[in-house]
Amino acid sequence: MQPGATELLNGIKNIIFNILLPELQSEQARGQVMYSSVLIDHLIARWEIEGPLLLEERAELRALLTQALAVLGDDARIHEALAAATDTVAGPRVLDAANERMRTLVPALARALPSDGDARVKELDATIRAYIRNQHQRDQQLVAVGGLAW
């Protein structure tokens, strides 16, 4: 069995603590090593939750953009973003890139909503607002893991 990302990161942290740290002479260098350890702890904790959060966001964005197509009409940018986010197997980098492509459309969708819209427009507006709230909560989860506060 091969080590996973968490085991590799813990291995790097152990090397830093057991081999590098004892060799350092200056307090500044020792402090930087300790800070690096905190960053590795954050990365380990983030690794565990980032994928599921990106998948959750992708599903929410796809639903939002599909709803926007039905309410606002065809838009090539929306079709392209939805097509780019159809991969079922993808790593965090690919998921984040596809999500970012869809994320960038949300402000334009909000601006495109007519102020005197019908019930479908109001429902889309509520969906956009819910996505923004949910995304803020996901962002908070990502920066709060591993005992690191930004």
Side-chain angles (χ1 to χ4, degrees):
M1 184 171 149
Q2 297 179 359
T6 301
E7 291 82 13
L8 290 172
L9 290 168
N10 276 318
I12 293 168
K13 186 177 169 185
N14 285 335
I15 290 169
I16 289 171
F17 269 109
N18 297 326
I19 297 172
L20 296 177
L21 186 62
E23 298 295 324
L24 296 175
Q25 302 300 314
S26 77
E27 285 303 312
Q28 181 181 7
R30 294 172 75 79
Q32 290 301 309
V33 165
M34 297 303 288
Y35 182 65
S36 296
S37 165
V38 171
L39 290 175
I40 291 172
D41 286 339
H42 175 77
L43 183 58
I44 290 168
R46 183 175 172 150
W47 183 266
E48 300 295 326
I49 68 168
E50 188 168 22
L53 289 176
L54 286 168
L55 287 171
E56 177 184 298
E57 181 190 10
R58 179 173 72 168
E60 188 173 4
L61 280 165
R62 287 184 56 75
L64 186 150
L65 294 180
T66 302
Q67 181 183 0
L69 283 173
V71 173
L72 300 174
D74 269 353
D75 184 317
R77 296 173 306 161
I78 295 174
H79 283 291
E80 290 170 11
L82 286 169
T86 57
D87 294 338
T88 55
V89 178
R93 187 178 303 176
V94 172
L95 283 171
D96 190 47
N99 287 3
E100 181 61 26
R101 189 171 188 174
M102 291 187 288
R103 264 182 227 127
T104 60
L105 297 174
V106 174
L109 292 175
R111 286 190 301 273
L113 292 176
S115 58
D116 58 347
D118 61 8
R120 292 181 343 145
V121 170
K122 290 178 183 171
E123 186 178 320
L124 178 57
D125 181 58
T127 302
I128 291 170
R129 292 173 187 276
Y131 164 74
I132 293 167
R133 276 192 309 276
N134 293 341
Q135 186 58 21
H136 179 68
Q137 290 172 348
R138 285 186 285 266
D139 287 342
Q140 285 180 322
Q141 289 178 50
L142 283 174
V143 297
V145 297
L148 186 63
W150 298 102

